[in-house]
Amino acid sequence: MTQFTDALTSASKTGAFPDAQEKPFLSGAAEPRNPQTLPPALEVKGVSKSFTRRRRTTPVLDGVNLTVGRGEFVSLVGPSGCGKSTLFHIIGGLTLPDKGSICMNGKEVTGQRGEISYMPQQPALFPWRTIEDNVLLAGEIRGLPRAGARETARRWLQRIGLGGFEQAYPHMLSGGMQQRAAFLRALLAPQELMLLDEPFSALDALTRGEMQRWLLELWEENRRSVLFITHSIEEALLLSSRIYVFSGRPGSVLHTVDVPFPRPRRDEITDDPEFLRLRRRLTDWMREEQAKSRK
Amino acid sequence: MRSYWSQVWPPLVAVVLVLGGWQLAVSLFHIEAWILPGPAAIAREAAGNSSGLREHTAATLRLTLIGFPIGTGVGLIVALLLHLLPGLKRAVYPLLILSQNIPTIALGPLLIIWFGFGLLPKIVLITLVCFFPVAVAAMGGLAQTDRVMLNYMKMAGASKWQIFSKLELPGSLPSLFSGVRISATYAVMGAVVAEWIGSDKGIGYYMLLQKAAYRTDRVFVAIVIVVLLSLTLFAVIALLERWLVRWKPGKPT
């Protein structure tokens, strides 16, 4: 938990959203400075999976390879039904792959649970827990000491605009606020790698844009390793360093796109010609795949 | 306070109207007191015999307060066991339903043959009446666990016990309480029936005695006491529920 406390103290010294470039990487605070020399946070190596129902075998994933480096924000876009959820279940250890393996920080963890911090599509806050207790849940599950955790959670809630809602129950909050609390729950989890599964898909367009900017700012400050699933190409381009484009079922990596924009990123990059060009290309790929999967 | 009154006065007015109509009918049509006494006569009888009634009421209350927690506890344990062992659930569930189709009145004498005249057969009877609503409601609640939250717990590396104690159990509370409320009312009835079968005190015993003597007014007094006991127990459970399930949307905190 020390890494969060570090980030907090420095954040509270410099104000609400300090310039991200001067910040030390949160995820590597106690380790060697250069994240490139560390083994990647996540490696998916040749993962295939098919499901058998009523003697009919449907391949869902076909030889998926992808990597999330330390402190990298990586997105995964693809047509609906491309097996993204199955991939998340395999990474999370809920399902075993037929072939291939999952490595985290250089260690094989195929089929092991509790190695990732997960944020589902719906906020999935526990209705009987207060916002504060919800945020503390991930640490509680891992059996971390409570001392200090509550204090940290309160300061974070304050920072993400949920101050005064610590003792509120989830149903009293708007959808956007619930999603923020769910994100904080994932952020304060002890696991380094965050898996965000279409976290903003249930929000209205305005709130969604707001949440994207909010996530961008927060992430650029913290630099956790993130694997982000989304349907929105624009969202992926705005947030990530690398994008994997998935094919339709059976899902596999079709293209890998490195997003060249420097950080910290501003909203204005969405008007950049390069941004528009990339968006065009990705949209075309997606359209092709969608058309193929319809046949 | 005002909203509270707007909730309370319609049923109050209804009760007063029914009692008034009853009283009026009894005096207008000159109905014999041994067939149907008026509310005033019943109230007079209750006031005149209060010390004897108190003793019987205390006995019934005691029986209820022993039997109800045991019945609820057994219901909970059955639900947890069957939830954890789905194979057992499939095997035993029909038996559970069957157990509820045996008439209590028929079972009572058998229980006395097996367990004698003491407290035990009565507690067994109340338990048999009480456990079923709790067990069914709790199993329903446990089975309805939110899939997304369950996935979250598994991804986060929660153990089976953590999933149960942090997710399944709290999530099943609203459903569980609907069962506990029902068995709270059953518990008082169960106690009265248990006293019919073999006892020398309690409201059930008193009821039998007065029925034999054609003291209809006193039978009504007994009925009123049973109703009041049920209502009180129900209210206590409702309050407990309000406190434990205060997180539910739409409930004032």
Side-chain angles (χ1 to χ4, degrees):
Chain A
M1 283 316 275
T2 50
Q3 42 185 335
F4 303 114
T5 341
D6 287 346
L8 259 180
T9 40
S10 57
S12 53
K13 264 183 237 148
T14 45
F17 288 115
D19 194 354
Q21 280 185 322
E22 287 158 26
K23 289 256 97 26
F25 285 3
L26 177 62
S27 56
E31 287 161 74
R33 277 288 112 156
N34 187 1
Q36 307 308 322
T37 60
L38 292 168
L42 170 73
E43 287 168 283
V44 176
K45 294 176 182 168
V47 163
S48 299
K49 177 81 190 171
S50 51
F51 288 110
T52 308
R53 194 169 291 161
R54 285 196 215 119
R55 288 194 201 161
R56 271 188 57 188
T57 306
T58 328
V60 179
L61 293 172
D62 183 22
V64 173
N65 284 300
L66 58 87
T67 306
V68 180
R70 275 250 159 176
E72 229 183 353
F73 196 119
V74 173
S75 286
L76 208 159
V77 297
S80 29
C82 70
K84 289 177 291 191
S85 318
T86 309
L87 181 63
F88 260 27
H89 284 176
I90 290 174
I91 296 172
L94 302 194
T95 317
L96 278 175
D98 298 338
K99 260 192 284 179
S101 63
I102 307 293
C103 289
M104 287 180 201
N105 306 316
K107 237 176 35 201
E108 186 176 339
V109 291
T110 317
Q112 274 178 41
R113 293 176 184 181
E115 301 290 330
I116 51 149
S117 162
Y118 175 59
M119 178 177 178
Q121 213 163 337
Q122 298 94 347
L125 297 171
F126 289 28
W128 48 86
R129 285 174 165 249
T130 59
I131 292 301
E132 188 180 292
D133 285 339
N134 262 296
V135 165
L136 292 171
L137 180 63
E140 203 178 300
I141 290 170
R142 300 308 286 167
L144 293 180
R146 279 158 177 263
R150 193 165 288 273
E151 200 45 37
T152 313
R154 279 197 192 143
R155 267 187 287 175
W156 268 104
L157 283 170
Q158 201 61 252
R159 267 202 60 198
I160 63 168
L162 291 177
F165 288 97
E166 294 89 350
Q167 300 306 319
Y169 288 100
H171 71 89
M172 302 165 171
L173 271 62
S174 71
M177 287 160 97
Q178 289 191 21
Q179 215 41 295
R180 267 187 242 192
F183 179 77
L184 186 57
R185 176 176 65 182
L187 188 71
L188 293 190
Q191 297 90 348
E192 214 279 325
L193 176 71
M194 290 171 78
L195 248 62
L196 311 183
D197 185 2
E198 295 186 46
F200 306 141
S201 59
L203 300 175
D204 60 273
L206 203 67
T207 317
R208 185 170 187 157
E210 210 177 288
M211 291 294 290
Q212 286 167 2
R213 279 190 293 282
W214 176 80
L215 176 63
L216 184 64
E217 264 177 308
L218 213 58
W219 180 80
E220 289 187 338
E221 202 177 306
N222 293 322
R223 302 283 172 128
R224 284 274 287 271
S225 319
V226 173
L227 182 60
F228 186 85
I229 287 188
T230 178
H231 276 300
S232 158
I233 290 164
E234 200 150 320
E235 191 170 274
L237 281 170
L238 178 68
L239 294 169
S240 36
S241 320
R242 188 147 23 92
I243 301 175
Y244 289 102
V245 181
F246 259 54
S247 67
R249 189 163 281 199
S252 60
V253 177
L254 212 58
H255 303 280
T256 309
V257 179
D258 284 306
V259 186
F261 309 110
R263 295 180 188 276
R265 286 183 188 165
R266 300 264 167 263
D267 231 11
E268 290 81 73
I269 67 158
T270 50
D271 300 327
D272 194 299
E274 175 66 9
F275 187 94
L276 298 173
R277 201 181 59 77
L278 280 172
R279 191 178 68 181
R280 175 95 300 227
R281 195 197 292 164
L282 282 160
T283 312
D284 285 344
W285 284 338
M286 289 274 278
R287 222 170 258 158
E288 251 169 61
E289 279 311 305
Q290 206 96 20
K292 253 188 250 164
S293 61
R294 223 172 281 138
K295 267 175 217 160
Chain B
M1 230 25 220
R2 183 182 255 164
S3 65
Y4 179 72
W5 270 112
S6 70
Q7 288 263 309
V8 164
W9 73 260
L12 263 184
V13 168
V15 168
V16 168
L17 278 180
V18 166
L19 288 180
W22 179 358
Q23 185 65 47
L24 211 66
V26 166
S27 19
L28 268 182
F29 303 118
H30 302 289
I31 296 171
E32 299 272 7
W34 62 270
I35 297 177
L36 182 68
I42 295 168
R44 224 175 301 127
E45 178 54 41
N49 193 17
S50 61
S51 67
L53 280 173
R54 206 171 298 147
E55 209 175 296
H56 288 302
T57 308
T60 305
L61 187 64
R62 181 170 153 261
L63 196 56
T64 307
L65 290 186
I66 297 171
F68 173 58
I70 294 178
T72 308
V74 169
L76 252 180
I77 291 169
V78 167
L80 295 186
L81 265 180
L82 297 194
H83 175 68
L84 293 175
L85 306 166
L88 190 66
K89 183 173 174 177
R90 272 193 296 280
V92 175
Y93 207 83
L95 279 179
L96 283 187
I97 294 170
L98 200 72
S99 81
Q100 294 310 295
N101 289 311
I102 302 169
T104 326
I105 288 290
L107 202 62
L110 285 178
L111 290 174
I112 284 172
I113 293 172
W114 295 333
F115 302 114
F117 281 93
L119 191 63
L120 186 62
K122 300 185 183 69
I123 298 298
V124 171
L125 190 91
I126 298 175
T127 303
L128 280 174
V129 173
C130 277
F131 91 96
F132 189 70
V134 176
V136 169
M139 273 189 285
L142 288 170
Q144 273 166 16
T145 303
D146 186 289
R147 307 309 299 177
V148 183
M149 293 187 202
L150 185 65
N151 256 345
Y152 174 83
M153 287 298 272
K154 285 180 180 167
M155 290 261 200
S159 65
K160 265 203 139 152
W161 167 249
Q162 282 174 326
I163 288 175
F164 175 73
S165 65
K166 290 183 201 296
L167 174 61
E168 292 177 322
L169 189 63
S172 72
L173 274 186
S175 170
L176 171 68
F177 264 104
S178 66
V180 175
R181 272 195 313 236
I182 294 172
S183 66
T185 51
Y186 281 13
V188 180
M189 263 181 1
V192 169
V193 171
E195 286 163 350
W196 279 354
I197 289 155
S199 190
D200 53 0
K201 57 184 184 301
I203 294 297
Y205 168 74
Y206 178 82
M207 213 183 242
L208 275 193
L209 219 59
Q210 303 311 331
K211 189 205 80 178
Y214 280 92
R215 288 299 303 263
T216 316
D217 51 348
R218 289 185 174 171
V219 174
F220 269 103
V221 169
I223 291 174
V224 169
I225 290 172
V226 169
V227 168
L228 287 181
L229 279 180
S230 290
L231 278 180
T232 312
L233 197 56
F234 190 88
V236 170
I237 297 301
L239 277 178
L240 188 68
E241 176 182 7
R242 223 173 143 142
W243 181 68
L244 277 175
V245 193
R246 59 187 177 281
W247 45 267
K248 247 209 144 187
K251 290 233 160 115
T253 46

